[in-house]
Amino acid sequence: MPESMTPEAAGADPAEVLRRVFGHPGFRGLQAEVVRHVVAGGSGLVLMPTGGGKSLCYQVPALCRPGLAVVVSPLIALMEDQVAALRQQGVAAAALHSELPEEAGREVRRDLARGALKLLYVSPERLTLEATLARLEERPLALFAVDEAHCVSQWGHHFRPEYRGLAVLAERFPGVPRLALTATADPRTVEDIRAQLGLRDAPVFRGSFDRPNILIAAAPREQERAQLRAFIRRAADGSGAGIVYCATRARTEQTAQWLRAEGHDALAFHAGMDAAAKREAHRRFARGDAVVMAATVAFGMGIDRPDVRWVAHLDLPRSPESWYQEIGRAGRDGLPARALLLYGAGDIALARHRIAESPAPEEQKRIERQRLEAMVAIAEAATCRRRILLRCFGEEPGPEAPDPERCGRCDVCLNPPRLWDGTVAAQKLLSAVLRTGRRFGLGHVVDVLRGRHTDKVIQHGHDRLPTFGVGTELPDAGWRSVARQLVARGALDVAVEGHGELVPTEAARPILRGEAPVMLREDTLAAAPGRKAAKAATPGMAGDALFEALRAWRRQEAAAQGVPAYVIFQNDTLAEIAARRPRGLGELAQLPGIGRSKLDRYGEAVLRVVAAGGG
Ligand code: ADP
Ligand code: ZN
């Protein structure tokens, strides 16, 4: 069998492959179950959050089963990084896509024909070409893996028409296991994937969506840049990357420019850029050290970098699913990471108006409305934010949770907001809006409440209103907070197509009549909880001399090979090495993330760096 040309003989034990090839001591969560199922020839659908460890679910079976494993992936950058990482681990992997230079493409086809490949990454459009399918029919196949399988669903925001063609796999290769993988757990998308990929009778493996290493926080957007600056200062560790999600293309450019002025290596990314510019941005993000990307949600799939330390949103995401997928790009290496959401009343109103006016069918609008309101509830949470978020994924705290209502890893748990009775304040604000004729934005309404004789107040005679000056007990920011929370609970609307006029809704009536008490949250301006972690002292943390020396060695090695640094070793592996200071290859081999191939390639060099002690 030509397959014996690759080092991983078929029939190998999965746990042994995991240890020997990938250097991991054990499977995580559902991995073991999925791997057992696929190795035995079963098909299925895997739902795990970003960073949950989906890749190993097909990579290990690929090495345990005879034949070639074909992995469908929607993004070239993603394919290439995966292939680079696998080759580092001594696995015969290659990618086939439209941007491969002709000579390289010929070489891949040659390797394929002589059975020298174990894993082939391929774009859906390439795979579904008749020529490719015919070529694959001549080969023994281990499995098909369809990564980012939600691209098959028209319901999501990532629909890729080419994915629809994958239905052919079930027809042409009925005996080959098909494993679909996605981080989107929304029931409609799940049903779509099962229908499209012929997985109706196959099991669904649903992992926990909790990502406890990501500390989550949200705050009203008051001074965006000061808030972002403070957040980055807490979250960045000097080496890992960061992402700032912005609602518009213009905002990505402005934010990237500002970040550069702040001294960051910052780039912008949005769908309007041409393919080459996008690829270059992806490349710089994957290869760079502490890169910051200011991006629209177009920057998403294909971010494989495990050491993204933080993700910030400058605008309200449209659903908890999108938000979670975006912040899930942080901390894939399992080390502490942070997410911050900034939002304003205008975002909420704008998103509601967009849905109301969209030409979409009523059923879809209803779903979008539900998602948006769930997102608003998370932003305005007065109880554990993670709890509310996970409930959106149908996940309840397990019996082992120390306190089911407090995760201890979100801003609300760490720094519970004080609630205050805002009934009177809400009434004052609503009546100032009504008395000024629902024709003014918040700035003017606050001027009236605070009793300011501005030109506009005098011009309209608003200093003669009974509500003039009745609101001196709160500062401007306090009134903005009251207004935002009234918008969030649907008692106030903002005329986003007009000039931002405030308009009370039906839900304002019971408040004005004193029939609905209004409990409000006291906003803290702090962008995120927790003090900056002490650095420099802990072995294996940024600042530790040996850790830094190992990183410098890795940077050189990565540059010499033209691959991202993390495919050489991930930060957690370097941290372990720095903490344990192994003295020989035997000790080094025991550390997580060091498989046989990496031990052979880098063992001696790493031991030399350790012996030099980073001094
Ligand atoms: P996903 O594709 O689900 O977003 P990945 O497959 O990229 O996640 O895995 C996320 C990170 O977790 C990677 O850095 C990977 O090396 C690590 N990882 C996955 N499974 C294990 C395991 N069993 N032991 C140790 N690390 C793991
Ligand atoms: Zn919490």
Side-chain angles (χ1 to χ4, degrees):
M1 288 291 286
E3 270 70 32
S4 60
M5 291 175 70
T6 62
E8 295 70 33
D13 168 46
E16 156 68 10
V17 167
L18 181 71
R19 240 185 338 266
R20 183 165 45 82
V21 179
F22 299 93
H24 297 317
F27 285 111
R28 264 188 201 160
L30 280 179
Q31 283 173 339
E33 205 183 319
V34 177
V35 167
R36 202 177 319 121
H37 177 75
V38 180
V39 168
S43 295
L45 171 59
V46 175
L47 310 175
M48 276 186 196
T50 316
K54 288 186 284 298
S55 317
L56 287 176
C57 292
Y58 58 84
Q59 288 170 348
V60 172
L63 300 182
C64 294
R65 286 175 59 83
L68 172 76
V70 179
V71 184
V72 183
S73 175
L75 255 190
I76 294 170
L78 183 71
M79 286 187 219
E80 301 215 306
D81 288 351
Q82 292 250 10
V83 167
L86 283 166
R87 288 192 178 153
Q88 289 287 327
Q89 278 143 343
V91 178
L96 205 51
H97 53 74
S98 53
E99 280 165 25
L100 211 58
E102 201 160 320
E103 175 50 32
R106 256 199 307 276
E107 194 181 316
V108 172
R109 279 191 293 275
R110 212 162 35 229
D111 285 347
L112 196 57
R114 59 188 182 94
L117 289 178
K118 203 55 203 144
L119 273 111
L120 178 70
Y121 283 75
V122 60
S123 58
E125 52 275 24
R126 239 331 138 89
L127 174 60
T128 48
L129 288 180
E130 181 50 40
T132 315
L133 292 171
R135 200 170 288 133
L136 290 178
E137 269 170 342
E138 290 166 9
R139 300 234 51 87
L141 294 179
L143 58 94
F144 285 104
V146 180
D147 206 1
E148 313 282 3
H150 56 277
C151 292
V152 83
S153 171
Q154 260 163 327
W155 286 101
H157 309 308
H158 294 285
F159 177 53
R160 295 271 302 253
E162 315 86 81
Y163 262 66
R164 292 259 153 171
L166 296 175
V168 74
L169 297 182
E171 297 154 20
R172 294 275 288 261
F173 304 89
V176 180
R178 289 181 307 284
L179 192 64
L181 309 101
T182 177
T184 306
D186 155 59
R188 196 175 284 270
T189 309
V190 169
E191 274 327 296
D192 241 12
I193 296 173
R194 297 182 78 185
Q196 290 292 321
L197 298 180
L199 295 172
R200 279 236 172 77
D201 303 322
V204 176
F205 299 90
R206 186 185 292 267
S208 166
F209 273 70
D210 195 9
R211 294 281 310 281
N213 63 317
I214 306 176
L215 198 156
I216 57 177
R221 194 173 50 231
E222 283 284 338
Q223 300 139 13
E224 176 179 294
R225 292 192 169 165
Q227 287 171 295
L228 187 57
R229 182 188 294 126
F231 170 69
I232 297 177
R233 202 170 292 147
R234 286 196 191 97
D237 72 347
S239 70
I243 306 173
V244 186
Y245 278 110
C246 312
T248 64
R249 296 173 185 187
R251 230 151 123 64
T252 65
E253 310 271 1
Q254 293 151 5
T255 306
Q257 198 168 20
W258 174 76
L259 285 164
R260 282 194 290 272
E262 291 274 298
H264 296 283
D265 179 11
L267 307 168
F269 188 102
H270 55 73
M273 291 167 27
D274 64 40
K278 281 188 200 162
R279 209 163 39 243
E280 175 57 17
H282 260 291
R283 229 187 61 84
R284 278 189 58 194
F285 187 76
R287 308 283 198 273
D289 217 5
V291 185
V292 178
M293 190 70 92
T296 62
V297 293
F299 185 62
M301 282 183 307
I303 308 170
D304 229 12
R305 193 175 166 150
D307 63 340
V308 174
R309 287 276 68 84
W310 56 267
V311 173
H313 282 75
L314 298 187
D315 305 284
L316 190 76
R318 57 180 140 187
S319 71
E321 290 83 1
S322 335
W323 187 51
Y324 205 43
Q325 199 150 41
E326 284 141 24
I327 66 175
R329 290 168 189 143
R332 279 165 174 242
D333 53 11
L335 298 175
R338 284 175 188 260
L340 171 68
L341 163 64
L342 297 179
Y343 67 101
D347 304 10
I348 301 175
L350 181 64
R352 283 181 185 152
H353 284 244
R354 280 219 179 110
I355 296 174
E357 280 139 32
S358 112
E362 196 44 50
E363 164 71 358
Q364 192 179 339
K365 284 164 78 158
R366 194 179 55 78
I367 294 168
E368 281 179 23
R369 216 173 286 126
Q370 276 171 4
R371 288 183 172 158
L372 174 63
E373 295 311 325
M375 193 61 232
V376 172
I378 291 169
E380 289 286 331
T383 57
C384 178
R385 226 181 274 285
R386 189 183 306 274
R387 231 24 309 145
I388 304 178
L389 179 61
L390 288 174
R391 281 196 181 113
C392 296
F393 296 98
E395 207 167 309
E396 291 296 327
E400 72 289 351
D403 180 347
E405 291 311 317
R406 290 169 58 86
C407 72
R409 295 288 299 152
C410 76
D411 54 341
V412 179
C413 286
L414 291 172
N415 201 359
R418 271 199 295 273
L419 295 182
W420 59 289
D421 186 343
T423 312
V424 172
Q427 287 169 339
K428 285 180 180 176
L429 188 129
L430 290 170
S431 60
V433 170
L434 289 171
R435 300 246 181 203
T436 52
R438 315 168 199 218
R439 290 189 293 121
F440 297 91
L442 184 58
H444 181 71
V445 173
V446 172
D447 285 340
V448 172
L449 285 164
R450 301 280 316 264
R452 290 196 184 105
H453 287 94
T454 64
D455 290 351
K456 206 168 173 183
V457 166
I458 293 164
Q459 182 196 335
H460 292 280
H462 288 161
D463 50 343
R464 295 194 301 274
L465 293 175
T467 38
F468 183 74
V470 296
T472 48
E473 72 274 27
L474 287 180
D476 286 19
W479 286 112
R480 282 199 294 274
S481 167
V482 174
R484 193 198 70 251
Q485 295 186 63
L486 286 173
V487 169
R489 62 189 274 159
L492 255 189
D493 189 12
V494 184
V496 288
E497 268 82 38
H499 299 96
E501 302 93 313
L502 297 177
V503 187
T505 68
E506 271 304 300
R509 281 173 200 267
I511 297 173
L512 281 162
R513 285 199 299 260
E515 291 162 10
V518 180
M519 289 308 287
L520 296 179
R521 225 183 50 190
E522 205 169 84
D523 291 335
T524 45
L525 273 187
R531 249 166 278 123
K532 188 173 170 160
K535 283 180 182 168
T538 333
M541 295 290 284
D544 171 65
L546 179 52
F547 181 66
E548 295 301 334
L550 287 163
R551 272 185 38 210
W553 164 81
R554 180 181 64 177
R555 208 164 26 242
Q556 268 180 0
E557 194 60 51
Q561 298 186 43
V563 296
Y566 66 82
V567 308
I568 307 270
F569 283 121
Q570 295 194 8
N571 278 352
D572 50 349
T573 302
L574 293 189
E576 268 308 291
I577 298 173
R580 304 278 188 86
R581 299 182 171 255
R583 274 163 311 193
L585 288 173
E587 276 177 51
L588 185 60
Q590 300 304 309
L591 302 184
I594 305 187
R596 194 186 53 192
S597 159
K598 291 197 177 174
L599 191 69
D600 290 349
R601 280 170 204 235
Y602 307 122
E604 299 290 349
V606 165
L607 290 175
R608 274 197 296 278
V609 178
V610 173

